Amino acid sequence: MTKILIPFEKSIGERRVSATPETVKKLKNLGCEIYIEKSAGELSGFNDFSYKENGGIIFNDNEIEPWENADIIFCIQCPDNKKLKNLKKGTLIIGLLNPFGNKDLVKLLSDYQLSAIALELLPRISRAQSCDVLSSQANIAGYKSVLLAASELDRYFPMLMTAAGTVQPAKVVVLGGGVAGLQAVATAKRLGALVFVSDIRPAVKEQVESLGAKFIRLPEIQEKVSDSGGYARAVSPEFLAEQREILSEHLSEADVAICTAQVLGKKAPVLIDEKMLEKMRPGSVVIDLAVAQGGNCVHTMQNEIVTKNGVKLIGASELPSSVPYHASSLYSKNLISLITPFINDGQFEIIKDDEIISGCLISDNGAILQEKVFEIGGSS
Ligand code: NAD
């Protein structure tokens, strides 16, 4: 019987959990045994009692036996060395393991001969959509970024006609129209803002227009802007310079900029530079979701509010964690979709040449499989 362990997430600011009582029940029905570290779901709104009621086994922080016996660790972020050293050879860790350029992770996985699936690398094929944690979490980040901007902004979002006069709607510029960006567009539209979007993938134009937003024209420079997996590629410095030129005009009239532009495994493109920032209106707000990848806006710092020329710059890398109930519910369902096809009568058996698994399995019993990912230095 496969034993799955659900840790209490120890990283600072992390409030999510990798399994909910509902998904524990599903795993139990598949014949697995599920060990949940005490209070693991407390910050997401799931108490130990509800896990127990659904067939989970609660263990204490100081117990190492569940770690020693675990076959699979479901996690959001990778557990630390102190926990990993207790795992037996071949234990499979599944989570957002932050593999890009992460030499420490390589060392841990090979030293302890562990297997690992980095969910960041899940191939973006139709069959994998139900397992796609990047999408489920980015959706939340996009939604919350707009709420955060609205609460920090010095003015209304909607247009209002009042006896005291007419209030013009806020102008929101969304940089990057992927999963987070499209959700930000939809949320800002619901709040009544005028929304403009910049993305380098031409396919995004139709998507943002269908949501009632306007697409900002692309640079004239012709470049291959996306790869076969649907992700954007890093563009040339000349392309970016022309893009910033176009954006500068829009940003000088904007009340809010939501930055979501990313290039997988690379540093995020800088889309708001010093000069553009100087032209922005004092009181306007920039929310930078790409801050952990270096940021789309100069001066943004992770989980901090920095004010430059009266513009509030908010580096928001942990927004999914600020909606922990739904972030955990969706994440844990993604994990169930990922592993269910590989469980038979309670026994988990990984199929390494399955297209989804081969795309995101980064270590097999300590043998590192995606060397290139770990070598990425991160430059755009
Ligand atoms: P992401 O987080 O890597 O990037 C966010 C957005 O930033 C992307 O739309 C990208 O084009 C954009 N971007 C990159 N450089 C930019 C620049 N210089 N200026 C402006 N924008 C820039 O991507 P994501 O949101 O996770 O996904 C991107 C796309 O992948 C989705 O919109 C979708 O089309 C596709 N996708 C496919 C599947 C699937 O299963 N088929 C699943 C999820 C996403």
Side-chain angles (χ1 to χ4, degrees):
M1 187 184 275
T2 295
K3 293 184 171 58
I4 302 177
L5 185 148
I6 313 298
F8 181 105
E9 296 286 329
K10 299 266 168 27
S11 310
I12 297 167
E14 184 56 78
R15 301 179 65 199
R16 295 167 292 176
V17 63
S18 55
T20 62
E22 185 189 340
T23 61
V24 163
K25 189 174 183 177
K26 286 198 173 133
L27 292 168
K28 183 89 188 146
N29 289 341
L30 289 170
C32 302
E33 242 172 37
I34 307 95
Y35 292 80
I36 300 126
E37 195 168 350
K38 194 171 169 6
S39 303
E42 205 96 317
L43 297 175
S44 325
F46 308 107
N47 61 25
D48 290 346
F49 178 73
S50 58
Y51 283 110
K52 261 202 252 176
E53 248 189 351
N54 285 283
I57 302 160
I58 306 294
F59 69 96
N60 280 315
D61 174 45
N62 56 7
E63 281 181 67
I64 58 165
E65 224 182 299
W67 290 90
E68 289 169 344
N69 296 332
D71 301 300
I72 303 179
I73 311 291
F74 270 8
C75 56
I76 308 276
Q77 300 187 43
C78 194
D80 62 19
N81 188 12
K82 272 197 277 180
K83 298 291 185 191
L84 293 185
K85 70 174 190 218
N86 298 310
L87 298 177
K88 62 182 187 226
K89 179 185 171 198
T91 301
L92 173 65
I93 306 171
I94 309 179
L96 286 167
L97 305 181
N98 184 24
F100 301 107
N102 192 342
K103 298 280 188 302
D104 294 343
L105 181 64
V106 174
K107 185 163 169 28
L108 286 173
L109 296 174
S110 47
D111 282 359
Y112 301 134
Q113 297 180 290
L114 302 172
S115 296
I117 285 179
L119 295 169
E120 292 89 339
L121 301 176
L122 201 88
R124 284 190 142 175
I125 54 173
S126 308
R127 189 163 64 84
Q129 273 183 10
S130 60
C131 326
D132 187 354
V133 301
L134 285 189
S135 290
S136 69
Q137 305 302 296
N139 230 325
I140 294 176
Y143 157 81
K144 198 63 192 282
S145 64
V146 174
L147 300 190
L148 185 59
S151 78
E152 290 292 338
L153 188 64
D154 59 357
R155 48 182 78 192
Y156 273 123
F157 258 48
M159 185 178 118
L160 291 176
M161 286 185 178
T162 78
T166 301
V167 171
Q168 294 305 322
K171 178 172 172 180
V172 175
V173 175
V174 177
L175 304 177
V179 180
L182 291 180
Q183 186 54 250
V185 172
T187 308
K189 286 298 293 177
R190 279 183 213 120
L191 286 179
L194 285 177
V195 186
F196 296 78
V197 182
S198 170
D199 199 300
I200 55 173
R201 292 181 298 120
V204 175
K205 181 174 188 289
E206 199 185 319
Q207 293 163 357
V208 303
E209 285 176 353
S210 73
L211 291 169
K214 294 200 166 65
F215 189 71
I216 298 173
R217 80 179 161 86
L218 284 163
E220 300 289 328
I221 300 171
Q222 299 292 318
E223 274 184 28
K224 194 163 189 290
V225 291
S226 53
D227 64 19
S228 53
Y231 279 115
R233 291 157 62 110
V235 288
S236 67
E238 294 74 28
F239 185 102
L240 273 181
E242 191 178 331
Q243 191 185 7
R244 281 194 293 264
E245 194 76 38
I246 297 167
L247 286 176
S248 184
E249 205 181 303
H250 287 272
L251 288 164
S252 64
E253 293 165 5
D255 299 299
V256 170
I258 306 277
C259 305
T260 78
Q262 297 201 41
V263 179
L264 189 74
K266 300 258 166 90
K267 203 169 169 295
V270 175
L271 298 176
I272 309 181
D273 65 16
E274 198 78 47
K275 273 206 294 205
M276 294 160 84
L277 209 52
E278 278 168 20
K279 285 197 204 154
M280 285 185 74
R281 181 181 71 69
S284 58
V285 176
V286 176
I287 309 279
D288 196 344
L289 300 187
V291 64
Q293 284 70 41
N296 291 148
C297 177
V298 287
H299 302 305
T300 48
M301 309 220 339
Q302 280 203 60
N303 306 316
E304 280 190 32
I305 303 185
V306 178
T307 306
K308 288 273 170 196
N309 314 321
V311 182
K312 274 189 199 169
L313 311 178
I314 304 179
S317 57
E318 291 173 357
L319 291 184
S321 207
S322 72
V323 188
Y325 177 89
H326 277 129
S328 304
S329 302
L330 297 169
Y331 185 99
S332 59
K333 282 186 189 161
N334 291 145
L335 291 191
I336 295 284
S337 299
L338 177 67
I339 75 154
T340 300
F342 307 105
I343 299 180
N344 259 320
D345 288 337
Q347 281 307 323
F348 174 78
E349 198 181 334
I350 201 162
I351 298 173
K352 286 180 218 153
D353 58 8
D354 174 274
E355 194 180 357
I356 297 180
I357 299 299
S358 65
C360 55
L361 189 70
I362 55 170
S363 172
D364 180 20
N365 292 302
I368 301 302
L369 299 176
Q370 318 253 3
E371 304 270 2
K372 266 202 202 141
V373 170
F374 291 109
E375 278 160 18
I376 282 173
S379 70
S380 62

